[in-house]
Amino acid sequence: MHYTNNVKVLDAIREMRGEASRKEIAARTGLAWGTMYKTVENLLARGLVFARQSKSVAPGRPTVPLCINADSIVYGGIDVGSETTRILFCDLNFREIHREKCPTERFRDPARFVEWLDGVCRRSLEEFRPVAVGLSVSGVIDSERGIIVSGGNFGMKRGTDLPVAEIAARFGVPVFAVTTQVGVAAAEYHFGRNRGCGNLVTVGLGVGIGSGAVVNHHLLISHPQRPVGYIGHILIPGNNRLCSCGFRGCLEAFSGGHYLAAIAAERFPGRPELHDAAALDRFAAAGDADAAGMMIQAAQYNAAGIAAMIQLYSPEALIFTGGQSRPDGFLYNETLRQLQSLLPPERSNCSIGITSLGEFGSALGAARLAYEQFV
Ligand SMILES: [Zn+2]
C-alpha cells in the first residue's frame, strides 16, 4: 500500500504491540531518520502519540517508548447497504466504541439522500465527533473524484453522480467513499482472520453479489472505468434476466437476493412462502425440490463468478461476507460445493471461510481507509 508517513509510523507502533522506540520505528518503516523524526514530532504535537517515561534498566540514556494515544481521535465508518445501513465509530487503534444500524432508505433524489444519511448519523456524529468518516456504499463509486455514481440495489440509478463533498459538508468532516467490497477487503487485510495476507479475495453474497481483492499487499480500489470484482455482472450463458445495471444475463440478476425472490414468485406463483431469498434458503435446506432447484442454479452462477476471481488473482485466502454467507446456509454450502468442482486441484490450497468480523466489517474497513486518507 502507498501510505503517508503518518500512517507508516502509527501502523509501525501498533504492530509492535503499541509501543516502540524511534530506532525501532525507523527500522520498521524504512523511513530516513530525519523524516521519521519529523513525523514523530508532528504526531506528538498533535497528541496522537505520547512518550512513556520508563525507568532505565541499563546505565546510559534511557530509551523513551512511543505509544499510540488511542483515545485521542475517533474515526467513523458508514456502510450503506442495499437494505441496511451500518454505522460504526472506533478509536485510533480501531477498537470499536459504538455501532448501530438502521434500514437503508430507498433512494429518491440526491438532496433527500444526503438529508437522510445525515439524519441517521447526526446523533452519533455529535456524540463521538469523528475527525473523518469512511463511507462504503453498495454501488458504483469513483473514489478518486469523490462521486457516488450509482447504487442500483437501493434505487440510485446510474448517472446520479452524487458528490461525496455534499455529504462531507453536512457531516462537517472529510469523507472518503469506496464500494462495499473495498471496505470489506480493507477490513479483512488489517483486522480479519487472514490479516496481513498479501493476496486475498472477498466475496459478498447478499442482495448484490460482489468481490474485493488485495493483490501483493495492495488494496485494489474499484473505479467505474476500472471495476474490480464486479462478479455480480459477469454474463452467464443461458441467463436472460434483466439486471439493474441495464444488461441482460448478469449473475446477480439471478443470484441476488431480490432477484431470487422475484424469480420464485414468477416460477411458483402458488407458493408465496418461497417468495423471499431467506425463505428459499430454509426450504432448500429442508429438502424442498422447488427451492433447492433454484438455489442450486444460483450456486452454479455464484461459483462461476468466484472461480473467475480465483483464476484472476490466485488468492491465498477467500473470505465470504453478506447475508447469504451463513455456515448452515444451503446456498452458501452449495456455492462452495460447485466451486470445488470447478476449480483445478492447483487451487485447492486457498483457505476458504466466512468473515470473522461480522456484519460491520465493511464499515470498519471504511473507517480504516478514512484514517489512511486523512490522518
Ligand atoms: Zn448487471
Side-chain angles (χ1 to χ4, degrees):
M1 312 267 181
H2 305 294
Y3 292 142
T4 62
N5 292 338
N6 285 343
V7 171
K8 284 180 190 168
V9 168
L10 289 168
D11 281 359
I13 298 174
R14 228 182 266 114
E15 284 156 14
M16 286 181 279
R17 292 166 304 282
E19 183 175 308
S21 68
R22 285 181 172 81
K23 204 171 155 187
E24 288 168 325
I25 295 169
R28 189 155 186 114
T29 58
L31 290 173
W33 182 264
T35 308
M36 180 282 301
Y37 202 90
K38 249 191 357 218
T39 308
V40 166
E41 287 306 302
N42 173 264
L43 293 171
L44 280 165
R46 289 172 63 198
L48 305 191
V49 161
F50 66 93
R52 194 166 63 78
Q53 300 300 330
S54 64
K55 285 206 181 78
S56 178
V57 286
R61 233 170 83 199
T63 58
V64 180
L66 297 162
C67 309
I68 302 261
N69 189 4
D71 299 329
S72 60
I73 206 168
V74 170
Y75 287 97
I78 302 170
D79 170 23
V80 179
S82 38
E83 288 181 332
T84 304
T85 291
R86 297 173 178 89
I87 303 161
L88 172 147
F89 292 91
C90 58
D91 67 16
L92 190 51
N93 280 335
F94 303 100
R95 270 193 305 248
E96 187 180 308
I97 51 181
H98 177 76
R99 65 159 67 185
E100 62 185 289
K101 59 179 174 177
C102 63
T104 300
E105 187 179 88
R106 195 85 194 148
F107 183 82
R108 279 180 271 171
D109 59 70
R112 171 64 209 166
F113 179 81
V114 175
E115 194 187 328
W116 164 77
L117 191 61
D118 185 55
V120 296
C121 299
R122 180 52 37 203
R123 213 171 44 161
S124 47
L125 283 172
E126 278 169 15
E127 184 177 349
F128 299 103
R129 301 187 167 277
V131 292
V133 167
L135 183 66
S136 70
V137 182
S138 169
V140 178
I141 314 297
D142 184 339
S143 302
E144 291 163 20
R145 289 164 63 222
I147 292 168
I148 304 175
V149 175
S150 64
N153 290 326
F154 60 94
M156 186 192 272
K157 295 228 158 21
R158 194 168 263 277
T160 301
D161 292 343
L162 172 66
V164 176
E166 288 183 16
I167 298 168
R170 285 294 283 265
F171 283 3
V173 294
V175 175
F176 182 65
V178 292
T179 65
T180 305
Q181 284 295 316
V182 170
V184 166
E188 294 300 335
Y189 179 73
H190 291 286
F191 315 115
R193 197 187 287 123
N194 300 94
R195 62 182 163 274
C197 171
N199 296 285
L200 61 85
V201 160
T202 63
V203 173
L205 302 178
V207 169
I209 312 289
S211 187
V214 170
V215 176
N216 196 16
H217 297 278
H218 189 82
L219 174 69
L220 301 186
I221 304 231
S222 194
H223 180 277
Q225 264 73 56
R226 287 170 267 113
V228 176
Y230 278 26
I231 57 172
H233 305 279
I234 280 180
L235 302 175
I236 302 284
N239 179 21
N240 65 351
R241 311 291 314 185
L242 181 64
C243 181
S244 63
C245 74
F247 281 103
R248 237 170 229 291
C250 293
L251 186 165
E252 186 176 303
F254 189 94
S255 299
H258 291 163
Y259 292 100
L260 284 172
I263 295 163
E266 237 175 74
R267 287 193 185 172
F268 316 113
R271 298 197 61 191
E273 71 277 17
L274 296 183
H275 302 173
D276 168 83
L280 274 171
D281 203 73
R282 281 197 308 275
F283 275 91
D288 183 287
D290 290 342
M294 272 196 61
M295 292 312 238
I296 289 168
Q297 193 171 353
Q300 283 168 343
Y301 290 6
N302 286 348
I306 299 163
M309 285 301 284
I310 293 177
Q311 291 292 73
L312 286 170
Y313 296 113
S314 308
E316 291 138 38
L318 175 66
I319 303 140
F320 283 89
T321 63
Q324 300 269 26
S325 297
R326 287 177 292 107
D328 58 344
F330 182 90
L331 180 62
Y332 174 70
N333 285 294
E334 188 60 25
T335 297
L336 290 189
R337 215 174 61 79
Q338 301 280 353
L339 185 62
Q340 298 300 353
S341 72
L342 272 183
L343 288 176
E346 301 90 289
R347 299 295 193 207
S348 61
N349 57 354
C350 176
S351 135
I352 299 178
I354 295 175
T355 181
S356 58
L357 298 173
E359 59 174 319
F360 281 73
S362 188
L364 180 63
R368 163 80 202 189
L369 292 171
Y371 151 84
E372 289 176 14
Q373 288 292 316
F374 302 117
V375 73

